[in-house]
């Protein structure tokens, strides 16, 4: 197996949902985008990536990541998959 790539940080944008519509939003959630990325839809793909890449930390982002109904699964799943710190 080839040596893994090592990167400092990876960001996952897991939701467009936000409870605010700030004029200066740098995630464009002020345009009323909706929807979430669900952990179960991607877990297998990320497991394959974990064989190729290592990260020192992962950040869960979004409009408001805590509004994603699977945010807990994302945090636990990414921690277990990549064996690194996950920040929200």
């Amino acid at each position: 197996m080839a040596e893994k790539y090592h990167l400092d940080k990876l960001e996952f944008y897991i939701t467009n949902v936000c409870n605010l519509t700030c004029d200066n939003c740098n995630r464009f959630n002020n345009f009323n985008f909706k929807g979430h990325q669900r952990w179960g839809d991607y877990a297998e793909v990320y497991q394959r990536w974990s064989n190729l890449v290592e990260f020192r930390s992962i950040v869960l982002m979004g409009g408001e990541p805590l509004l994603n109904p699977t945010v807990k699964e994302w945090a636990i799943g990414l921690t277990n998959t990549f064996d690194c710190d996950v920040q929200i």
Side-chain angles (χ1 to χ4, degrees):
M1 181 175 181
E3 187 175 329
K4 289 185 179 182
Y5 292 97
H6 299 276
L7 301 171
D8 285 335
K9 181 170 71 172
L10 176 66
E11 297 176 343
F12 285 89
Y13 194 86
I14 65 169
T15 187
N16 289 100
V17 176
C18 184
N19 48 3
L20 300 172
T21 56
C22 302
D23 290 338
N24 61 344
C25 180
N26 66 356
R27 300 291 178 220
F28 302 108
N29 291 312
N30 53 336
F31 288 102
N32 204 23
F33 293 145
K34 299 292 182 205
H36 305 288
Q37 302 295 324
R38 298 189 183 277
W39 169 252
D41 294 342
Y42 299 95
E44 185 178 312
V45 172
Y46 297 140
Q47 183 60 51
R48 290 194 309 256
W49 274 104
S50 74
N51 295 322
L52 303 171
V53 183
E54 289 182 348
F55 302 99
R56 198 164 19 194
S57 68
I58 293 176
V59 179
L60 294 178
M61 301 175 60
E64 173 47 68
L66 296 175
L67 293 176
N68 183 314
T70 64
V71 67
K72 182 177 178 182
E73 288 87 355
W74 274 99
I76 292 169
L78 289 170
T79 299
N80 291 339
T81 300
F82 290 100
D83 191 29
C84 68
D85 293 334
V86 174
Q87 303 167 10
I88 300 173

